[in-house]
């Protein structure tokens, strides 16, 4: 394997679906592919951060498997007393601090890392490369309406997926030779929009008002369109799109960790011949 070529890895957002990035990382590790630079958004930001600080992929997988238990998930659901989001996010941050030092800075990671978020004040995408790592993760994963914005410096930050769910552009501008990107969204680039009766967003296993469900579907459709445009502007060398059941959505399906991770493994295995050709 030619390790003189630098390989960059971009992990997109997707909530529970984003756990398939662990499967992608497992296969890359098995084939001895060393990652020189990382970028991530939302769930991809969390997994990329874990990889960047040197957590073994086996440990990341073990942590993810805890979500197979509904009891573990419920522990993280802390309702906020304010009306800025359904959840406060404090329990999640405390949980993450068990594996990520609360003092760790993004600029000190073992593998160079870029996370992205969106500033509600200016409406612009913000690249997070020099700040507290946990704060960056919380900002990049702050789904509007679910978690409150993260206020830091002059910014009021929310999930980077609002504008750029698969932030390839940050590594396209770097020195990597080969760029791999993982997109776990419901729609892939070559799919046509499905009839309304077949939309994967229909499966929401909670008594949520129809108005809220419609807002959720609108957000998913907009995100899909933005992903398509951004990937056309900044195409990766290898695009990994795991086949994940439609009833596993951004917010629901965390109890199917093994299935989701396996989808990532299979998707990356399909791309390994192309990747090895590029490396060779």
């Amino acid at each position: 394997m030619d390790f003189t070529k630098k390989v960059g890895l971009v992990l997109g957002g997707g909530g529970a679906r984003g756990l398939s990035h662990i499967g992608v990382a497992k296969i890359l590790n098995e084939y001895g592919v060393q990652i020189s630079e990382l970028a991530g958004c939302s769930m991809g930001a969390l997994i990329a951060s874990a990889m960047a600080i040197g957590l073994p992929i086996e440990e990341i997988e073990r942590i993810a498997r805890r979500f197979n238990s509904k009891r573990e998930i419920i522990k993280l659901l802390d309702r906020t007393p304010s009306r800025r989001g359904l959840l406060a996010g404090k329990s999640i941050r405390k949980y993450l601090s068990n594996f990520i030092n609360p003092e760790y800075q993004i600029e000190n990671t073992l593998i160079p890392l870029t996370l992205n978020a969106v500033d509600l004040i200016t409406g612009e995408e913000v690249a997070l490369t020099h700040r507290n790592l946990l704060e960056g993760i919380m900002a990049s994963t702050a789904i509007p309406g679910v978690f409150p914005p993260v206020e830091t410096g002059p910014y009021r930050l929310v999930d980077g997926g609002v504008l750029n769910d698969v932030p390839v552009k940050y590594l396209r501008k770097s020195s990597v030779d080969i760029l791999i990107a993982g997109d776990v969204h419901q729609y892939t680039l070559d799919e046509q929009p499905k009839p309304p009766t077949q939309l994967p967003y229909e499966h929401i296993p909670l008594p949520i008002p129809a108005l809220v469900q419609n807002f959720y579907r609108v957000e998913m459709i907009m995100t899909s369109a933005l992903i398509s445009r951004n990937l056309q502007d900044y195409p990766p060398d290898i695009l990994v799109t795991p086949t994940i059941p439609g009833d596993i959505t951004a917010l629901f399906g965390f109890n199917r960790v093994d299935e989701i991770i396996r989808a990532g493994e299979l998707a990356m295995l399909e791309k390994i011949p192309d990747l090895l050709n590029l490396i060779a």
Side-chain angles (χ1 to χ4, degrees):
M1 186 95 43
D2 180 9
F3 289 118
T4 62
K5 291 188 177 180
K6 296 181 179 180
V7 179
L9 180 62
V10 180
L11 303 180
R17 299 173 68 88
L19 295 173
S20 63
H21 294 317
I22 297 173
V24 171
K26 284 180 65 178
I27 298 303
L28 291 173
N29 186 59
E30 288 177 11
Y31 278 82
V33 178
Q34 298 179 355
I35 303 301
S36 299
E37 201 163 338
L38 286 156
C41 174
S42 201
M43 178 59 78
L46 174 55
I47 295 172
S49 296
M51 295 174 64
I53 65 174
L55 275 183
I57 192 62
E58 296 81 9
E59 175 68 7
I60 299 173
E61 183 177 15
R62 185 185 67 81
I63 295 169
R65 280 209 167 94
R66 293 186 181 183
F67 293 122
N68 273 325
S69 166
K70 290 184 179 180
R71 180 179 298 178
E72 291 296 323
I73 295 176
I74 291 174
K75 289 180 182 177
L76 303 179
L77 304 182
D78 53 349
R79 296 188 61 182
T80 175
S82 70
R83 296 187 178 182
R84 303 175 64 200
L86 294 175
L87 304 175
K90 293 181 179 180
S91 294
I92 293 177
R93 181 164 184 158
K94 182 178 179 181
Y95 177 75
L96 293 178
S97 67
N98 293 318
F99 318 104
I100 300 174
N101 188 324
E103 304 301 321
Y104 213 120
Q105 301 294 305
I106 296 176
E107 61 267 29
N108 296 331
T109 53
L110 299 177
I111 302 174
L113 172 69
T114 301
L115 310 180
N116 75 330
V118 172
D119 181 24
L120 288 181
I121 298 174
T122 63
E124 296 181 350
E125 184 180 356
V126 178
L128 306 177
T129 56
H130 292 78
R131 65 184 59 245
N132 181 273
L133 179 57
L134 273 180
E135 184 178 76
I137 293 171
M138 296 305 297
S140 188
T141 59
I143 302 171
V146 178
F147 298 107
V150 174
E151 299 195 15
T152 172
Y155 303 120
R156 186 178 299 159
L157 300 176
V158 296
D159 194 322
V162 170
L163 288 178
N164 192 358
D165 207 46
V166 188
V168 175
K169 69 178 184 181
Y170 296 111
L171 297 198
R172 265 292 167 224
K173 298 175 181 178
S174 72
S175 61
V176 298
D177 302 301
I178 301 169
L179 185 50
I180 306 168
D183 174 17
V184 301
H185 209 258
Q186 275 94 336
Y187 293 155
T188 58
L189 293 180
D190 57 355
E191 284 182 332
Q192 296 297 318
K194 299 176 175 61
T197 56
Q198 299 178 25
L199 283 175
Y201 319 123
E202 292 296 328
H203 185 83
I204 301 179
L206 286 177
I208 298 175
L211 177 64
V212 177
Q213 294 191 30
N214 287 337
F215 272 120
Y216 171 75
R217 296 184 187 110
V218 166
E219 184 176 347
M220 293 298 101
I221 293 169
M222 292 172 62
T223 300
S224 178
L226 286 171
I227 290 172
S228 178
R229 189 191 71 184
N230 289 331
L231 290 179
Q232 288 172 4
D233 291 342
Y234 300 95
D237 299 300
I238 302 287
L239 179 62
V240 184
T241 56
T243 301
I244 304 170
D247 60 344
I248 296 177
T249 66
L251 300 177
F252 305 103
F254 284 96
N255 60 325
R256 294 163 67 180
V257 173
D258 292 339
E259 181 181 355
I260 300 170
I261 291 176
R262 183 56 180 164
E265 293 177 2
L266 294 175
M268 189 65 243
L269 280 171
E270 289 181 4
K271 299 292 184 176
I272 282 294
D274 296 335
L275 176 60
L276 296 183
N277 284 335
L278 288 173
I279 292 177

